[in-house]
Amino acid sequence: MKLILWCFCLHLLPHAHGSGISAPPRRAEEEALAMIGPIEVEAAQKAWGDGILEIGLKHAQSREAAKTAATSFVDTLYGHGLKPILVKPTNSTTKPFRTTRDGVISSLIGGYEEFPEDSGFAVGPVRWDKIRFENVGISVEGPQALAMGNYFFRDTFTGN
C-alpha cells in the first residue's frame, strides 16, 4: 500500500445537492440539521476514493471514458463552478498547484499539453484497487470540515 499524508477539506454548500444542482432554500432549522460532521466527512472521503477507482476502471475501457469520469469527479467532488478549485497534486513539481478544472483533470488522467509531467494519478502507471482513509482528527467549523490523517492505496497488480 502507498501511504500519503494528507489534509482533506469539505465544504457544505447549503443550497446544492452532491450533483451540483441547486435545491430550494431551506429553513434555518433544516440548515442547522444539515451541518457537516464526521459521518459526512467519511462519506466524502469514500466518494473520493471510489471516484479515483472508477476513473481507473473507465480508463481500461477508453481514454474518453476516463476523461468523462474525471470531469464528473472534478465537477461533483471539487465543486467546479461553485467554489474556486485549489489542488496540490502529489507528484507535480513543475506546475505544483492546480486552480482550473483542466489542471485537476490532467493530474487525474494525464495527456494535457499544459501539464506534460502528468501521467494520470488515477490511471497509471500504477492502478489502484482499494483506497482507505485513516483520520487522525476531524475539525468542524460551521459548514466546513477539515480532516487530517493518512490514506492508503493498494496496487491492483502487486496487492501492495
Side-chain angles (χ1 to χ4, degrees):
M1 286 192 192
K2 182 175 184 177
L3 170 66
I4 299 174
L5 298 175
W6 60 278
C7 182
F8 188 86
C9 180
L10 178 65
H11 181 82
L12 179 67
L13 301 169
H15 302 298
H17 296 292
S19 65
I21 300 171
S22 294
R26 299 180 185 177
R27 294 189 324 258
E29 305 87 52
E30 291 173 316
E31 289 292 335
L33 293 174
M35 299 307 286
I36 294 175
I39 292 170
E40 289 76 20
V41 171
E42 290 168 0
Q45 290 170 328
K46 181 173 180 355
W48 186 89
D50 290 349
I52 294 292
L53 299 178
E54 179 69 16
I55 293 166
L57 290 172
K58 293 293 184 183
H59 188 259
Q61 296 171 8
S62 73
R63 173 164 170 70
E64 195 54 41
K67 183 176 182 180
T68 299
T71 300
S72 175
F73 179 83
V74 170
D75 289 349
T76 302
L77 294 173
Y78 287 86
H80 175 261
L82 302 172
K83 298 291 254 175
I85 294 179
L86 302 172
V87 176
K88 167 49 178 105
T90 303
N91 298 321
S92 299
T93 56
T94 58
K95 291 190 176 182
F97 303 104
R98 307 300 167 85
T99 58
T100 66
R101 179 192 212 195
D102 283 349
V104 179
I105 293 170
S106 178
S107 73
L108 296 169
I109 64 169
Y112 281 67
E113 194 173 300
E114 185 180 347
F115 306 98
E117 73 178 325
D118 290 349
S119 61
F121 172 74
V123 300
V126 175
R127 201 163 109 217
W128 316 112
D129 68 358
K130 184 176 182 180
I131 300 173
R132 176 175 59 88
F133 286 79
E134 221 174 65
N135 292 320
V136 171
I138 297 173
S139 175
V140 177
E141 181 77 30
Q144 296 187 79
L146 293 173
M148 189 168 69
N150 298 307
Y151 54 165
F152 301 87
F153 296 79
R154 187 172 68 192
D155 180 327
T156 300
F157 303 107
T158 67
N160 293 326

